[in-house]
Amino acid sequence: METALALRALEKSFSSHRVVDGISLDVPKGCFYSLLGPSGCGKTTILRMIGGFGEPDAGEIVLNGKRLNGLRPYERPVTTVFQSYALFPHLTAAQNIAFGLERRGEAPAAIAPKVNRMLELVGLQEKAGRMPANLSGGEKQRTALARALVVEPEMLLLDEPLSALDPALRKRVRIELKQLQKQLGITFLFITHDQEEALSLSDQIAVMNKGKIEQIGTPQEIYLTPATRFVAGFLGAVNWIDGIGVRPEATRISRATPGNGARTVDAQVETSVFLGDCFHVQTRTSAGVTVTAQVSHKDEPFANGDRVHVWWHAADELPVRE
Amino acid sequence: MKQGRFLGVFAAGVYAFLHVPLLILCAFSFNRSKFTIWEGFSLEWYRQMFADGQLGEAAWNSLVIALASTVLATAIGTLCAYGLWKKNSKWLSGSLYLSLVTPEIVTGISLLALFQWVFRYWQVQLGMHTVILAHVAFSIAYVLLVVMARLRTAEPALEDAALDLGASEWEAFRLVTLPILKPGIAAAALLAFTVSFDDYVITSLVAGVDSETLPMVLYAMARRGANPVVSAISTVIFLGFGALILLSERMQKNP
């Protein structure tokens, strides 16, 4: 697949603290690519360097064969959806969207239809004349998206654009965002610390920690075959039993001794939490390790203090390197 | 209930303390008598005020000085505030606020010393230009204070967004930051105009023979003894500034 963005050995330090520590990655054209990691892992710094808001100390940023290092933000064929949206408060939604086209010197007659098409695309036709202060959170997010997309960037940078929305809205907007990306075919570089968001949206994910990349892969690859303990733990809950990682949904408990082929340890039930679609039963093994198992309603109920066998299939063990 | 009434009385007292002197001044400017005994309504002092050539000239000087120094101080102060906001240096902004707490007499004498030193090498004399320069010098800090307060509420990402969408640095300032700052700049200009029009101490030190301002003439008249013409002028100034403030509030509501 053709590469849109290539980062080569990117480095950046702030007052002797190395925030970005040798990042290299390739973002394929038309890909929904996520940088996933905890806050402070350097992902926002990378995004800002691609946008032109801070130069790397070392390394190269290449977009579609063109080196971006040293170019001013307005010379770069990328646009950003900012975390706070950064809508211009003195301009209407439509004027916000028109801003980038005007700066590119497009004729007013050409601008209006493009703005209207974009308003339609994000479903904001009725809100075109509203000031940002009079838009809801979701409408602001869509205005910011439309404003960045209308100039037809070679790549769109998204800096945690869903984090300011309430959880119910966030899930809906997530689906819209994914559909929009597929429809337009523009390469998205998406920054998030929310693993569920990254898993559900991305074609590819680079998991970052302390300025370095831990693993790059498809959502399935990084969830099911995490390369490091960090990735395993960041993407979801893990039970660590004698250095072996098993996800709660692959962990079983039973009173009877499990059959052949199963790996098993003895444990005692500590608590059982009802989560609606399942139970999380927390147990403590004889070695003193806490192990959580996801149990369906249909299974036999467990009471606190019950002596049980915790078991799993060898195939469900996470193939963590360390 | 009781506490509410007490607060009401207290508030009325504070307002009376602030405004009654002005009302008395206004009332006696329409008094036929020269003294503070009411003898009937008269516009005599207003007639005298308008007939006084020296007063007219001083009022004109004050207006020219206030307008010129407001324009200069607002422009310089706004750019200063913008620069300090971008630089985010506590030391630099702190040193500018210093001029706010410097006693006027010190500012005045130091400016006079500067002008006299410069004039040794450059044959110029004290006059309107030195007054305007002095007023610019002390107004900048006021402008800075007001514009900085407005900038602190602005989102730094807005200029990034403008650059991101293809605006140059100058366009980002002109098309995004400046419009957001407009109400702050208007308020700063009004404040600069007021402190310039009002100033006596610094002005009297750096003024030349041809640049007497209204406060200087008023001060001289008031010192010569009770004069209802002073009350009449004060009333006109008070009403003028009252109207200016109402106008600016209306402008801020409907931009």
Side-chain angles (χ1 to χ4, degrees), chain A residues 40-56:
Chain A
C41 74
K43 56 192 192 301
T44 300
T45 307
I46 294 176
L47 198 77
R48 288 186 64 82
M49 289 194 291
I50 299 168
F53 305 104
E55 280 298 313

Side-chain angles (χ1 to χ4, degrees), chain A residues 170-178 196 200-201:
Chain A
R170 205 180 299 170
K171 285 199 176 159
R172 214 185 63 217
V173 172
R174 211 148 75 186
I175 297 164
E176 289 172 2
L177 194 64
K178 178 85 178 173
E196 197 185 314
S200 60
L201 281 169

Side-chain angles (χ1 to χ4, degrees), chain A residues 115-284:
Chain A
V115 170
N116 286 333
R117 206 176 315 134
M118 202 43 80
L119 282 164
E120 205 177 309
L121 188 69
V122 296
L124 281 175
Q125 301 100 306
E126 264 109 77
K127 308 290 163 75
R130 291 255 185 113
M131 301 307 265
N134 300 323
L135 294 174
S136 72
E139 289 162 357
K140 280 184 199 165
Q141 192 267 343
R142 282 182 279 160
T143 308
L145 196 61
R147 184 178 71 171
L149 284 172
V150 74
V151 297
E152 294 168 17
E154 290 179 26
M155 182 156 109
L156 185 69
L157 310 173
L158 302 104
D159 185 7
E160 309 224 9
L162 308 181
S163 62
L165 304 176
D166 63 73
L169 186 60
R170 205 180 299 170
K171 285 199 176 159
R172 214 185 63 217
V173 172
R174 211 148 75 186
I175 297 164
E176 289 172 2
L177 194 64
K178 178 85 178 173
Q179 286 170 341
L180 193 67
Q181 193 266 337
K182 285 285 159 264
Q183 191 183 337
L184 296 173
I186 293 180
T187 315
F188 276 30
L189 184 64
F190 186 87
I191 296 286
T192 184
H193 65 268
D194 182 328
Q195 86 284 358
E196 197 185 314
E197 213 166 86
L199 289 172
S200 60
L201 281 169
S202 318
D203 299 315
Q204 275 205 67
I205 300 174
V207 185
M208 286 188 62
N209 184 31
K210 292 180 184 160
K212 290 193 161 101
I213 290 178
E214 294 267 333
Q215 188 177 5
I216 296 177
T218 65
Q220 286 88 339
E221 280 165 2
I222 62 160
Y223 186 82
L224 299 173
T225 57
T228 65
R229 269 180 92 103
F230 176 83
V231 174
F234 197 74
L235 270 291
V238 188
N239 295 312
W240 295 105
I241 309 159
D242 288 338
I244 288 163
V246 187
R247 297 224 183 264
E249 67 266 25
T251 309
R252 311 265 184 273
I253 52 176
S254 61
R255 292 204 179 80
T257 310
N260 285 344
R263 314 240 165 139
T264 176
V265 289
D266 292 337
Q268 191 169 11
V269 175
E270 284 198 322
T271 57
S272 182
V273 182
F274 179 58
L275 293 172
D277 50 347
C278 63
F279 283 98
H280 269 184
V281 180
Q282 189 183 310
T283 67
R284 184 175 290 270

Side-chain angles (χ1 to χ4, degrees), chain A residues 89-90, chain B residues 78 81-82 85 97 142-156 158 176-188 252 255:
Chain A
H90 61 297
Chain B
T78 300
Y82 180 70
W85 178 62
Y97 291 138
Y142 290 95
V143 174
L144 203 68
L145 202 67
V146 176
V147 177
M148 281 290 255
R150 180 86 191 175
L151 271 171
R152 264 194 285 273
T153 65
E155 198 191 323
L158 289 178
V176 175
T177 309
L178 204 56
I180 293 168
L181 286 185
K182 232 185 234 163
I185 293 172
Q252 292 201 23

Side-chain angles (χ1 to χ4, degrees), chain A residues 16-140:
Chain A
S16 84
H17 174 58
R18 191 165 289 186
V19 182
V20 176
D21 193 1
I23 295 287
S24 295
L25 55 83
D26 289 281
V27 179
K29 226 170 218 169
C31 183
F32 197 121
Y33 198 102
S34 292
L35 286 179
L36 171 67
S39 61
C41 74
K43 56 192 192 301
T44 300
T45 307
I46 294 176
L47 198 77
R48 288 186 64 82
M49 289 194 291
I50 299 168
F53 305 104
E55 280 298 313
D57 299 334
E60 267 197 321
I61 303 169
V62 180
L63 182 66
N64 296 322
K66 187 183 168 196
R67 197 169 181 270
L68 297 188
N69 294 54
L71 296 180
R72 302 294 305 144
Y74 47 84
E75 295 167 329
R76 299 182 184 217
V78 297
T79 51
T80 310
V81 177
F82 292 86
Q83 189 170 12
S84 60
Y85 309 137
L87 295 177
F88 306 130
H90 61 297
L91 301 179
T92 63
Q95 286 169 334
N96 262 281
I97 298 170
F99 189 90
L101 296 172
E102 285 162 2
R103 300 281 68 70
R104 278 161 175 72
E106 293 209 18
I111 290 176
K114 283 191 185 179
V115 170
N116 286 333
R117 206 176 315 134
M118 202 43 80
L119 282 164
E120 205 177 309
L121 188 69
V122 296
L124 281 175
Q125 301 100 306
E126 264 109 77
K127 308 290 163 75
R130 291 255 185 113
M131 301 307 265
N134 300 323
L135 294 174
S136 72
E139 289 162 357
K140 280 184 199 165

